[in-house]
Amino acid sequence: MPWWAWMLLGAALLVVEIAQPGSFFVLFFGIGAIVVGALVGIGLLTEAWTQWLLFSVTSVATLLVFRSRLLARFQRSKASTVGSEGLIGERATLLEDLEPGDVGRAELRGSVWKVRSREQQRLASGARVRVEHVDGLTLWVRPE
């Protein structure tokens, strides 16, 4: 197969991976095709059987070595930023005074949230607070 056909195959496989994100399966076959295309292009691989063998070995080897690491990294970062559990420990800024037992408003990550506090003293507007618990759409905060 000519070098440009391997590159085209690699690009097509990468596009398939982008269209179906999160699986990290087709990605490694795209990488294998690009590696083979580069080696064919510089003249190191001429026989078709060596091209297909290297494509298979490279694709499976990179899949076995890197897929689990890639999945773990993206699942960890996704879990820490998505959902209410990802808000715990974040810093927010009060938009109004927060009296003990009352519901107030605070800004966090560019959004306005309802907040409550277990503190016995009033928290002033503009104070920095930390999220300690999430109850539905209400953030329970403590002063920083």
Side-chain angles (χ1 to χ4, degrees):
M1 224 159 81
W3 70 270
W4 56 267
W6 283 108
M7 293 295 194
L8 192 60
L9 176 63
L13 291 171
L14 293 178
V15 167
V16 168
E17 181 65 48
I18 291 170
Q20 192 175 21
S23 66
F24 295 116
F25 185 74
V26 181
L27 168 74
F28 300 105
F29 289 90
I31 292 170
I34 291 172
V35 167
V36 170
L39 293 175
V40 170
I42 61 174
L44 293 178
L45 293 176
T46 54
E47 298 290 325
W49 71 271
T50 58
Q51 294 174 17
W52 284 103
L53 178 66
L54 185 62
F55 168 70
S56 301
V57 169
T58 303
S59 299
V60 172
T62 57
L63 177 82
L64 293 174
V65 172
F66 296 111
R67 184 173 186 262
S68 60
R69 295 178 189 170
L70 208 53
L71 283 173
R73 177 173 175 104
F74 278 93
Q75 288 172 349
R76 183 175 356 123
S77 66
K78 181 179 160 185
S80 68
T81 59
V82 175
S84 62
E85 297 301 317
L87 297 175
I88 296 174
E90 291 283 324
R91 291 170 38 177
T93 304
L94 291 177
L95 298 176
E96 56 192 32
D97 291 345
L98 182 58
E99 300 292 335
D102 283 350
V103 176
R105 295 180 317 130
E107 186 272 329
L108 173 67
R109 293 185 183 174
S111 298
V112 177
W113 293 79
K114 291 190 298 183
V115 293
R116 296 188 80 171
S117 176
R118 289 185 173 84
E119 298 296 316
Q120 298 302 317
Q121 75 269 14
R122 178 177 71 83
L123 301 175
S125 176
R128 303 287 291 189
V129 293
R130 285 229 184 247
V131 177
E132 59 181 13
H133 176 71
V134 180
D135 183 20
L137 295 175
T138 302
L139 306 178
W140 287 82
V141 297
R142 61 177 162 76
E144 197 169 49

